């Protein structure tokens, strides 16, 4: 049974490997390194052999929690791990007394949008031409989940 625990900087290599295998424009190691200060709450999902199957990067500022990144290893996708990570992120945001959660997602990422909607997120806006693509740019959909 997979276990979710807090991520540490020692987990960055495994998180980076998932990020690079699951995203067309992955974060750099440097970006991951900047996400381990006190305002961040990050987690990893471990299999029975202590291998990391997925992760998320969350940040709380004032009364808002933001999901900056979430990833599941391609070999582990489609097994509900993304939903487990999202539910953990939401629970952690509630524990930190956030009033709402925010995220943005590529307009073309239908699977992620479906997951976020399943978890209660609603579309609140659009950032035109926000994300780079192989052929140009694409919009980011802004989504929110009120917790109050």
């Amino acid at each position: 049974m997979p276990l979710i625990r807090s991520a540490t900087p020692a987990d960055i290599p495994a998180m980076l490997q998932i990020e690079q295998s699951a995203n067309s424009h992955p974060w750099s190691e440097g970006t991951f390194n900047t996400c381990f200060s006190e305002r961040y709450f990050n987690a990893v999902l471990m299999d029975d052999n202590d291998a990391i199957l997925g992760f998320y990067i969350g940040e709380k500022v004032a009364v808002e929690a933001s999901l900056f990144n979430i990833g599941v290893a391609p070999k582990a996708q489609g097994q509900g791990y993304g939903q487990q990570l999202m539910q953990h992120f939401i629970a952690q945001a509630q524990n930190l007394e956030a009033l709402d959660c925010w995220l943005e997602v590529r307009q073309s990422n239908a699977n992620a949008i479906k997951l976020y909607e399943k978890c209660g997120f609603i579309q609140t806006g659009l950032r035109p031409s926000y994300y780079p693509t192989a052929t140009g740019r694409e919009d980011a959909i802004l989504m929110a989940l009120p917790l109050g």
Side-chain angles (χ1 to χ4, degrees):
M1 182 67 161
L3 165 80
I4 297 177
R5 66 160 172 79
S6 292
T8 70
D11 296 320
I12 291 174
M15 295 164 77
L16 187 62
Q17 186 174 17
I18 292 169
E19 174 75 359
Q20 290 170 341
S21 66
N23 287 304
S24 62
H25 292 76
W27 279 16
S28 68
E29 183 176 355
T31 300
F32 274 99
N33 282 321
T34 65
C35 295
F36 282 88
S37 65
E38 56 273 346
R39 72 177 195 247
Y40 291 94
F41 59 104
N42 309 326
V44 290
L45 182 125
M46 316 284 295
D47 70 10
D48 294 337
N49 300 314
D50 290 334
I52 295 175
L53 298 175
F55 69 90
Y56 70 76
I57 304 287
E59 179 193 44
K60 179 172 180 270
V61 174
V63 296
E64 294 182 350
S66 296
L67 179 70
F68 281 162
N69 199 341
I70 184 169
V72 174
K75 67 177 182 175
Q77 290 177 4
Q79 299 178 51
Y81 297 144
Q83 186 168 352
Q84 286 179 21
L85 286 163
M86 283 301 299
Q87 289 168 339
H88 190 272
F89 166 78
I90 293 165
Q92 290 300 106
Q94 289 171 319
N95 290 342
L96 293 168
E97 299 180 358
L99 297 181
D100 42 43
C101 295
W102 293 89
L103 61 83
E104 59 197 29
V105 58
R106 287 177 181 271
Q107 192 170 27
S108 64
N109 195 343
N111 288 340
I113 293 166
K114 190 163 65 173
L115 169 64
Y116 302 145
E117 288 174 343
K118 190 174 181 178
C119 292
F121 282 80
I122 55 169
Q123 184 173 340
T124 59
L126 206 63
R127 285 197 173 133
S129 301
Y130 185 76
Y131 286 112
T133 67
T135 58
R137 315 267 321 157
E138 77 174 294
D139 296 344
I141 295 174
L142 300 173
M143 301 184 84
L145 173 68
L147 298 175

